[in-house]
Amino acid sequence: MEDNYEVDIQVQDNPLLATIQSSGIFEDSKEFVDCPIRRAAFFVLEDFQTLPDHKYETLVDFLQRNFDAAGSDLEEYTPLDCPDETQTENIEQEVKDRELRRLVAPLLETWQRLGRVVSEDCAISPEFHTLLAVPNPFIVPGGRFREGYYWDSYWIIRGLLMSDMHETARGMIDNLLWLVDKYGYVPNGFRRYYRDRSHPPLLSEMVRVYFEKTKDLQFLAQAFPRLCMEHAWWMDEKTAHTVCVRVRKNTPTYTQLMREIQEYKIPLEQKKKKK
């Protein structure tokens, strides 16, 4: 079911959002829209409408009265299934390439540094946050991307499975399945302002690689109806969830794309005969 907020001051086009974003207070436009509000949006908007002016200092005072810091509704989290020293050594031995083997320990350390969980208040009062209150801890891409993202989660999950962190990988997939239950699809990321778009639909592939690693048939059975739901959303012609690829003719990319399309059109039986 879609969220329904009567006033959504950080997502909907409105004078408050436009004024703050053009004020120069935040160097990054993502900063303000990630700030939780301190009270009901109606009162925040009323406070804004009664400001004597929109000078820099006036707006800073307004923000301090009504908003918390960006990212304050996310808490750092150390995954419980992070490998210990012995397990790390075992994982390193499985990597045949010496150069790649040196990356194992730093990678496992990264999971601890980038683990996050949504604050309790975000689940209790979702209207105060643009953050979507997914139920399980997750790994974030890092940098300005302080929340989870659809496309990025696939590559993270591949790394977690390689690190034998099945519980964390399962929780991340369950978060995406939860979003499908709620919206019918997976938004671009874990923010309300991402609900108007998605990423390449890799959820089925995440489920596949997880199942290949764990052989968890019960999980596969639970995930399958949600995967069908997401597939139906993408294939719905009425809502035009299509992907448009623009490529100039007579370029290497165009030639490769045409080759891939022709290969896709060849029936499976013909492919078997060619082999």
Side-chain angles (χ1 to χ4, degrees):
M1 180 180 295
E2 288 279 358
D3 297 320
N4 184 20
Y5 302 122
E6 185 175 349
V7 181
D8 206 347
I9 54 179
Q10 291 164 288
V11 177
Q12 298 169 347
D13 187 20
N14 63 83
L16 189 160
L17 178 61
T19 300
I20 298 299
Q21 295 291 53
S22 61
S23 66
I25 295 174
F26 299 105
E27 292 184 6
D28 188 338
S29 62
K30 190 177 184 300
E31 196 78 4
F32 171 61
V33 294
D34 288 357
C35 294
I37 59 176
R38 292 185 172 181
R39 50 183 177 157
F42 173 83
F43 296 108
V44 176
L45 190 59
E46 186 177 55
D47 187 2
F48 175 76
Q49 292 171 341
T50 57
L51 292 177
D53 55 63
H54 291 168
K55 294 179 180 179
Y56 187 93
E57 295 77 10
T58 303
L59 293 176
V60 168
D61 288 341
F62 164 77
L63 290 170
Q64 291 176 344
R65 285 196 305 273
N66 292 286
F67 295 86
D68 289 322
S72 59
D73 45 8
L74 281 164
E75 300 171 4
E76 293 185 357
Y77 176 83
T78 301
L80 301 177
D81 52 352
C82 280
D84 58 26
E85 186 175 344
T86 300
Q87 292 169 324
T88 299
E89 292 177 357
N90 292 337
I91 294 172
E92 287 176 330
Q93 293 307 312
E94 294 176 5
V95 180
K96 305 303 180 184
D97 188 294
R98 289 186 179 182
E99 291 299 316
L100 293 178
R101 190 182 303 161
R102 296 194 307 174
L103 300 177
V104 171
L107 174 64
L108 298 181
E109 184 181 347
T110 298
W111 303 142
Q112 301 181 51
R113 182 166 49 84
L114 295 179
R116 299 290 185 273
V117 64
V118 174
S119 70
E120 184 178 355
D121 184 68
C122 189
I124 296 174
S125 304
E127 70 276 12
F128 284 19
H129 308 262
T130 60
L131 186 66
L132 301 177
V134 295
N136 303 304
F138 50 92
I139 306 296
V140 300
R144 69 192 291 266
F145 302 111
R146 53 175 63 90
E147 58 283 297
Y149 284 80
Y150 187 3
W151 161 270
D152 306 69
S153 293
Y154 170 70
W155 310 105
I156 292 170
I157 286 167
R158 292 292 296 262
L160 291 171
L161 292 174
M162 187 278 292
S163 307
D164 291 334
M165 295 174 61
H166 301 170
E167 182 180 345
T168 301
R170 165 69 184 269
M172 289 187 62
I173 298 173
D174 279 338
N175 283 341
L176 301 178
L177 295 172
W178 180 86
L179 290 168
V180 173
D181 277 338
K182 188 173 181 63
Y183 300 111
Y185 65 100
V186 181
N188 188 95
F190 298 173
R191 292 281 176 183
R192 289 209 310 272
Y193 54 74
Y194 286 139
R195 290 176 304 168
D196 63 347
R197 56 195 182 275
S198 184
H199 265 167
L202 288 172
L203 182 53
S204 296
E205 182 67 9
M206 296 181 208
V207 171
R208 184 188 69 80
V209 296
Y210 179 83
F211 174 73
E212 288 183 348
K213 187 74 172 181
T214 65
K215 309 303 179 186
D216 189 340
L217 279 171
Q218 183 178 5
F219 168 70
L220 188 61
Q222 292 172 349
F224 184 71
R226 279 81 160 262
L227 299 181
C228 292
M229 188 184 304
E230 187 198 29
H231 180 265
W233 183 85
W234 276 99
M235 302 305 291
D236 187 350
E237 295 181 0
K238 294 181 180 178
T239 47
H241 299 136
T242 57
V243 178
C244 179
V245 180
R246 293 184 175 88
V247 181
R248 291 183 180 181
K249 287 188 176 182
N250 302 320
T251 64
T253 302
Y254 178 82
T255 302
Q256 180 63 29
L257 180 62
M258 292 301 102
R259 186 180 298 120
E260 295 288 346
I261 291 174
Q262 292 304 317
E263 179 70 16
Y264 176 78
K265 290 180 178 179
I266 297 175
L268 182 60
E269 291 302 318
Q270 290 185 30
K271 292 181 180 179
K272 290 180 179 179
K273 290 179 181 179
K274 287 173 65 176
K275 292 181 179 180

